[in-house]
Amino acid sequence: MTRARTAEHTARSYYDSPDADNFYSLVWGGEDIHVGLYQTPDEEIATASRRTVTRMAEVAGVGAGDRILDLGSGYGGAARQLATRFGVSVHCLNLSPVENDRNIRLTREQGLEDLVTVATGTFEDVPVEDGSVDVVWSQDAFLHSGDRDRVLDEVVRVLRPGGRAVFTDPMAVDGLDQSSIQPILDRIQLSTMATPGFYTAGLERRGASAVTFHDHAGQLPTHYRRVREELVAREPELGAAISEDYIAAMKAGLQHWVDGGNAGKLTWGIVHAVKG
């Protein structure tokens, strides 16, 4: 099995598990399972998470008529927010059938099935035609890939000339000896994390222009701290839905992210680029 396929299998098995599905839907933020932009340290997770979507849309200049491809779309919260606000069509591509089923159900409940479509697949092999997308969108998903160069190939391939890529990802800072974040790498079962330089240089090599990284490093430890606080506060009531072992491992794992962010070893932000 290739490194990319191994990473795909690992991620799918994890996100399809009942423990993970219950944790992300009940604790992490409901419809949105990505890092938030917090205005105050104790803001609600869901509110901060939706603000990230709003800010990314501003950075990418999302507007009426855009065809958006959301890679690693999770429960589809961003897709529905974009469809509701701008009337745009969003195609969600995500490797977890369990998450996709929830996405489809929530989309139908909100009456957005004409604008939001959902497919199961990976961002290393995107089943979309060349040059057919106005905006490639992704939130905190690319870190799970075992072949991020291939991901960037696919991002640029599917964009039309002048199309925009906008995505976030938890990253290691440039120049870091990544053995110093081994507990985090072990947690996501990968050998490395990407860096801002990897993404910006990689997009530029593929002919993208106006490549920028909007650095919001401080938001990463804030978000993981908030998620851990929520998990701890609700632990008694979550016992019926999430196993004790999963909760214990998640509390330890979230703390590693908090510590790595506070130590300046990790970063997070919005990457934006325009296809030449």
Side-chain angles (χ1 to χ4, degrees):
M1 186 179 293
T2 66
R3 183 176 63 180
R5 290 301 183 192
T6 298
E8 173 191 338
H9 174 76
T10 298
R12 179 182 288 115
S13 297
Y14 173 73
Y15 284 105
D16 278 352
S17 71
D19 277 339
D21 186 45
N22 287 328
F23 168 73
Y24 286 101
S25 62
L26 296 173
V27 178
W28 193 281
E31 296 187 40
D32 298 285
I33 50 175
H34 51 256
V35 176
L37 284 170
Y38 291 79
Q39 290 188 341
T40 63
D42 298 320
E43 189 170 28
E44 290 293 325
I45 296 168
T47 301
S49 295
R50 291 180 68 82
R51 186 176 296 113
T52 303
V53 177
T54 299
R55 178 60 183 143
M56 289 175 65
E58 292 171 351
V59 169
V62 172
D66 277 339
R67 298 157 297 173
I68 299 177
L69 172 65
D70 187 348
L71 298 178
S73 49
Y75 297 136
R80 287 184 293 277
Q81 186 175 336
L82 294 169
T84 299
R85 179 178 177 184
F86 299 103
V88 295
S89 63
V90 186
H91 182 57
C92 297
L93 184 69
N94 192 59
L95 58 74
S96 167
V98 171
E99 290 183 345
N100 291 344
D101 287 346
R102 188 185 298 272
N103 186 349
I104 291 168
R105 176 175 60 79
L106 291 170
T107 297
R108 286 174 178 167
E109 289 175 356
Q110 296 177 32
L112 293 169
E113 59 266 38
D114 290 340
L115 292 175
V116 178
T117 56
V118 184
T120 300
T122 72
F123 30 61
E124 293 94 358
D125 187 16
V126 179
V128 172
E129 293 182 1
D130 295 2
S132 62
V133 174
D134 297 300
V135 178
V136 171
W137 179 288
S138 184
Q139 291 180 263
D140 307 338
F142 293 164
L143 79 159
H144 294 296
S145 174
D147 190 350
R148 298 185 194 102
D149 278 300
R150 176 65 178 167
V151 173
L152 293 183
D153 288 342
E154 289 291 84
V155 168
V156 173
R157 178 185 67 79
V158 302
L159 281 172
R160 66 164 175 79
R164 296 90 74 200
V166 62
F167 61 89
T168 61
D169 210 34
M171 293 167 274
V173 297
D174 287 298
L176 180 73
D177 176 358
Q178 294 199 16
S179 65
S180 68
I181 55 169
Q182 195 62 49
I184 294 171
L185 297 174
D186 291 343
R187 178 71 181 166
I188 58 178
Q189 298 186 46
L190 289 172
S191 57
T192 65
M193 293 179 71
T195 66
F198 169 83
Y199 284 130
T200 55
L203 287 164
E204 289 171 348
R205 285 198 305 272
R206 290 164 175 82
S209 61
V211 181
T212 53
F213 172 59
H214 302 254
D215 191 339
H216 297 285
Q219 296 289 345
L220 187 141
T222 297
H223 181 82
Y224 282 95
R225 176 184 56 79
R226 285 292 295 114
V227 173
R228 191 180 189 281
E229 288 173 348
E230 187 75 6
L231 177 60
V232 171
R234 297 179 57 193
E235 187 171 352
E237 70 182 81
L238 293 169
I242 307 174
S243 71
E244 183 177 331
D245 288 346
Y246 183 93
I247 290 175
M250 182 56 70
K251 286 193 294 186
L254 291 167
Q255 190 62 51
H256 289 317
W257 286 97
V258 173
D259 294 343
N262 286 335
K265 297 179 179 181
L266 303 177
T267 190
W268 177 88
I270 302 169
V271 179
H272 175 251
V274 178
K275 181 174 178 178

